[in-house]
Amino acid sequence: AVGHETIVGILGHHITERRRQEIEDVLDSRTLNVAVVVDGMVDLGNVSAIMRSAEAFGVQVVHAIDTSDAFKRSRRTTRGADKWIDRYRWEDASACLDHLSEAGYRVLAADATPEATPIGEVDLTPRVAVVFGNERQGISHQTARLVDGAIRIPTDGFVASLNVSVAASIILHEVHRQRIERYGRNGDLTPGDRARIRAVWYLKSVRESEAIVQRALDDGYLVRSAT
């Protein structure tokens, strides 16, 4: 496998200084300690809009549970946001949430029912994964049994719930706000995570990037760079 530094070294010649700085600035604000989970959504527009909001608020990872074709990206709605995040698909809620729990996430369901805790009363600064459910039924019964708790957005109108993509934006904004208030910043990537994501973003920022990297390797890039 080609190392992250090798990819960046090769493709760095094909990226403007302005673009390199933009990537570094976004990496500064990126976090792997917040994750988004979409559970059984069927509306492509909502899935794509949630991915866009996740990316906008610095969230690097989005998990999808049993969304089938609905997890395909929508260029119109994501505006390319899906290129810059790590996306995972799970066929089983238990496997997804077990993975998140083992990775140290507190898993919270977004829920409009009165029993859920208002988001302003919950500490969202520790490692957290937020689950957003189906547009009609909310999160599945299986997922509801597995989460660590439920949070809601307080509303004052006749309508008790919001569109799921709107709710995701509000909740992710609150997570982002709390993290900055607590830590002074949102970003918390380790050097290794930063190097991995940087290499992926370089590959996605350069046209025909894989071919460029392969040609450089065929021409002995590693030999020259090591001397």
Side-chain angles (χ1 to χ4, degrees), residues 44 65 74 77 90 95 101 103 124 147 152 161 163-164 187 203 214:
L44 176 60
I65 301 171
S74 167
T77 307
W90 303 80
S101 295
L124 299 171
V147 297
R152 64 179 172 88
S161 62
N163 172 276
V164 65
L203 285 166
Q214 189 58 56

Side-chain angles (χ1 to χ4, degrees), residues 73-91:
R73 66 181 181 227
S74 167
R75 294 182 183 275
R76 176 182 60 81
T77 307
T78 63
R79 294 187 182 272
D82 59 298
K83 289 176 58 177
W84 313 114
I85 59 178
D86 299 334
R87 299 178 296 150
Y88 301 92
R89 180 175 176 269
W90 303 80
E91 295 183 359

